[in-house]
Amino acid sequence: MSALDTDLLQLTNELAKLGGSRNVKLGRISVYIRGVDHASSETRDASSYLSYIDDSQQKVVVVRNPLSVHDMRCYNVTQYFPPHMSNAQISSQLVPHVCSSVFDGFNVNLIAYGATKTGKSQLLFGDAKENNTRYDSCQGLLGSVCSNIWRRTHESADTISISISAFEIGHGKVRDLLQKKETDIESLFQTSSVAVSDWKQIGALWDIARYNSSNWRTLNTGYDPLSNECHLFMQIKLFNQTQQTVSSLNLIDLCGSQPLRRSVRAHISKEQIEQNKDKNVSLFSFNKLLHGLSNLHAPKSSSTTITTINKCDHQSTTGEDVIGSIINESRLNSFVGPMISQNAESIFVGFVSCDNAEYQASLRTIQILSRTLCIPVPCVRIGSRRMYDDLQFERFAHDWHSVLQKHCAIEKCIQQSCSQQMQDLATCDDTQHNAQLSSLLDDILKNDDAETDMKDDAVSNDLKVANLRLQICALNEKVRKLENESQQASIFESYNQEIETLQKHLQSMAEESRAHCVKHMNAKHELMRYKISAQQMDELKTIHVLQKSLRETTKKLKKTETELLKLSADLRHREIRYRVLQNTKEQSDEMCNVLQRRESELTSAYLQQAQTQAFVDKLKLQMTELKNDNTALVEQNESLQNEVATLRSMCKQMNEDAKQKNYLHRVSRKWTPNNK
């Protein structure tokens, strides 16, 4: 496989010098560095060894060795994203450029590269929050890209169809995440591509992709993201039927290798090394591919051809052939190599940790990606009626009907329970109490600044109580949902009783806080009335008494708030215990099922082994009989050959004797006297 078409590259360079074209452009690899800092805000400035210089001519990342003051290295990058920058801000900078290139008809690759636990999957697919763990969620940069593409297709006058494919590479094979059959894929054209027409279909595809992927764990109410075990590929294809062009966007989430410190290397087992062997070998081969492409297109070697001489046969090999051999080394390179080097604009997002302990891994990531800036790739708009046959979504939904129906039913139940809780919260408010509070607040707003401060305190207390009530309702809903999902609800009856007592206590506390708020507002109203009409000292005494009562009520409100916070913390702890018990029960059930399956498999295997052993014994007996017959035939053949040999020798001797007699007879006849 050729790393790059040199003739096409020269033509693209000449066309770019002349001003470019709408259908052809010379693209280069872009490198964005994302800094990740898990340290606290106090030690962040002191512990960071990365700095960024944004000059008008070039953009440079400066890496300082934390152990040596004089060791400072500079690397060119496209842009640097500091740790305080959120993933949403990064997506807002990358998504418009990516979507505009795809809609112009050019292919784009966006590759997340870096060590493990640096936030690659969080940027591409969203953080591990409650909204992102749902079945129908599509968050992160993937969700932003899909929504942007969907909006542009509706705004465009051209007719554009969208199809999505998903697959992962790991454990020595390539698996299509949208197919039920686990078939090993050899090329990108063998992956199934499903046509989508609305946002719900996109969510269903992403749901099934996570369901089949080894990078997510399926829960009863959603998905739990894990550390990447396989390289995940998401491909979004656009077919513009009006302009007859096809373009694709490839989102690639690479696995991260765990940097091993010297203090930890001695405690690593052989099993852990074997588990990470395939992942580390593929990443090493991928780094080798990037290094070869960088050497091939480096400024020093751009005018000359890179050759390597084989000592055995003395044949020279060009740099393109070397890159082709590197591409064939691993499955990852066989898929990513053509994407990077042929007709696509590639964007690398390198993730580095700002912790001093991860200095070597971060430095290696920046070194590898910075060298790829010199790699040029010609991008050409592909004009074709159709390059592939998309799978219709109806057929895809029919194949995965049971899984999608189950997930939709769970999401509907959750939404209905949340809406019911909100309705209960809306109906449980006292309208008269709200009217009374609003009238008192209107009276107090007419007074001076001191009274407005007191009003703000009372309103903030009411808001805190309302927020606590909302949190309690949400916790109750979660507990109810977990109870419905559990098969053995009798284990959690004690927890339910304790939660009911806590709820009753919370209701009494809320009623007391409401009564205190009413007293507080009435006291404020009386205070203002006496303050306006106060003309004698006796009225001032009553004002002081009212102020004391106000202080006492504020103290009581603070106490109730602290008690409510304690109760909410207790509810959270009980919920955590509930989840732990449920997980252990599910794991035990799964282990029992697995053991039963293994026992049935072993019994069937033993039966098959016994049958095969009997069949083998029969074959052995037949083989011995055939061998005996063969030996007898061989002995007979040898005896016959010996007899033939003796007969031949006898015939030969008789022929020689006859010849001798004939010779003697002629000689005797020749020398007899009669002849003379």
Side-chain angles (χ1 to χ4, degrees), residues 103 147-158 160:
F103 267 87
S147 61
N148 200 332
I149 289 175
W150 194 252
R151 178 179 57 81
R152 290 197 180 194
T153 53
H154 284 286
E155 293 177 356
S156 177
D158 300 339
I160 301 172

Side-chain angles (χ1 to χ4, degrees), residues 300-486:
K300 294 181 180 180
S301 60
S302 60
S303 60
T304 60
T305 305
I306 301 173
T307 59
T308 58
I309 300 175
N310 192 354
K311 294 181 180 180
C312 297
D313 53 1
H314 301 284
Q315 293 179 355
S316 63
T317 306
T318 61
E320 296 177 1
D321 296 333
V322 173
I323 298 300
S325 63
I326 295 173
I327 288 175
N328 295 324
E329 283 183 358
S330 65
R331 289 291 185 90
L332 179 63
N333 287 354
S334 63
F335 280 83
V336 181
M339 291 181 183
I340 296 174
S341 60
Q342 295 177 3
N343 193 19
E345 179 183 357
S346 299
I347 299 173
F348 278 93
V349 182
F351 291 79
V352 296
S353 176
C354 296
D355 190 5
N356 291 336
E358 309 296 337
Y359 165 74
Q360 292 293 338
S362 301
L363 177 64
R364 184 61 178 165
T365 300
I366 297 172
Q367 283 178 344
I368 292 171
L369 295 183
S370 178
R371 294 194 63 192
T372 59
L373 289 171
C374 63
I375 301 174
V377 179
C379 300
V380 183
R381 294 181 67 187
I382 300 174
S384 175
R385 293 183 179 180
R386 200 64 171 172
M387 292 182 64
Y388 42 79
D389 295 329
D390 294 334
L391 182 66
Q392 296 299 323
F393 182 79
E394 288 77 9
R395 184 179 175 185
F396 170 79
H398 177 72
D399 294 338
W400 298 96
H401 177 69
S402 59
V403 178
L404 292 174
Q405 188 176 10
K406 178 184 176 182
H407 292 178
C408 290
I410 292 171
E411 291 296 333
K412 285 181 181 178
C413 291
I414 294 171
Q415 291 177 2
Q416 289 176 2
S417 61
C418 293
S419 62
Q420 185 66 31
Q421 290 293 328
M422 294 301 293
Q423 289 177 2
D424 294 339
L425 288 173
T427 55
C428 71
D429 292 334
D430 190 3
T431 56
Q432 295 180 357
H433 177 64
N434 290 333
Q436 185 179 5
L437 289 176
S438 62
S439 63
L440 291 173
L441 290 172
D442 292 333
D443 294 333
I444 292 170
L445 284 171
K446 297 177 182 179
N447 299 312
D448 53 356
D449 297 331
E451 282 72 16
T452 55
D453 295 335
M454 296 170 68
K455 174 186 72 65
D456 293 333
D457 294 334
V459 173
S460 63
N461 291 327
D462 291 335
L463 291 173
K464 288 179 180 179
V465 172
N467 290 327
L468 288 172
R469 288 177 64 191
L470 289 171
Q471 292 177 3
I472 291 165
C473 292
L475 290 172
N476 292 332
E477 176 58 25
K478 289 181 180 179
V479 171
R480 190 185 66 79
K481 182 174 67 176
L482 291 171
E483 287 178 357
N484 292 328
E485 292 173 358
S486 63

Side-chain angles (χ1 to χ4, degrees), residues 434-640:
N434 290 333
Q436 185 179 5
L437 289 176
S438 62
S439 63
L440 291 173
L441 290 172
D442 292 333
D443 294 333
I444 292 170
L445 284 171
K446 297 177 182 179
N447 299 312
D448 53 356
D449 297 331
E451 282 72 16
T452 55
D453 295 335
M454 296 170 68
K455 174 186 72 65
D456 293 333
D457 294 334
V459 173
S460 63
N461 291 327
D462 291 335
L463 291 173
K464 288 179 180 179
V465 172
N467 290 327
L468 288 172
R469 288 177 64 191
L470 289 171
Q471 292 177 3
I472 291 165
C473 292
L475 290 172
N476 292 332
E477 176 58 25
K478 289 181 180 179
V479 171
R480 190 185 66 79
K481 182 174 67 176
L482 291 171
E483 287 178 357
N484 292 328
E485 292 173 358
S486 63
Q487 297 178 357
Q488 299 177 355
S490 60
I491 302 173
F492 307 100
E493 289 179 356
S494 60
Y495 289 103
N496 293 332
Q497 293 176 359
E498 291 179 1
I499 289 168
E500 288 178 358
T501 55
L502 289 172
Q503 287 177 352
K504 291 179 181 178
H505 193 187
L506 286 172
Q507 289 178 359
S508 63
M509 294 292 291
E511 290 176 357
E512 289 178 2
S513 64
R514 186 181 295 176
H516 287 306
C517 289
V518 172
K519 290 180 181 179
H520 192 187
M521 300 305 294
N522 290 328
K524 286 182 179 180
H525 186 67
E526 291 178 0
L527 178 61
M528 294 307 301
R529 187 178 63 188
Y530 283 123
K531 199 170 183 180
I532 293 170
S533 61
Q535 295 178 358
Q536 297 177 357
M537 295 298 294
D538 295 334
E539 294 178 353
L540 292 174
K541 292 179 181 180
T542 56
I543 289 169
H544 289 299
V545 172
L546 290 171
Q547 288 178 351
K548 288 180 181 179
S549 64
L550 285 172
R551 292 172 185 172
E552 291 177 356
T553 53
T554 53
K555 289 180 181 179
K556 290 180 180 179
L557 284 172
K558 290 180 180 179
K559 289 181 181 179
T560 55
E561 287 177 1
T562 54
E563 291 177 355
L564 286 172
L565 291 173
K566 290 180 181 179
L567 290 171
S568 62
D570 292 334
L571 284 173
R572 289 176 184 173
H573 289 300
R574 294 182 189 282
E575 183 183 1
I576 292 168
R577 292 174 186 172
Y578 190 93
R579 288 180 180 175
V580 170
L581 289 173
Q582 184 182 5
N583 291 328
T584 54
K585 179 178 70 62
E586 290 177 353
Q587 291 176 359
S588 62
D589 293 337
E590 290 178 358
M591 290 296 294
C592 291
N593 294 327
V594 170
L595 289 173
Q596 291 177 358
R597 292 174 188 170
R598 294 290 172 83
E599 288 178 356
S600 62
E601 290 176 357
L602 285 172
T603 53
S604 62
Y606 288 151
L607 291 173
Q608 292 179 359
Q609 186 178 3
Q611 293 175 358
T612 53
Q613 187 64 34
F615 185 71
V616 168
D617 293 336
K618 290 180 181 179
L619 291 176
K620 286 182 178 179
L621 291 173
Q622 293 177 0
M623 286 291 293
T624 53
E625 292 176 356
L626 291 173
K627 285 181 180 179
N628 294 326
D629 295 337
N630 192 12
T631 52
L633 291 172
V634 168
E635 290 176 355
Q636 292 178 1
N637 190 10
E638 289 178 355
S639 62
L640 290 173

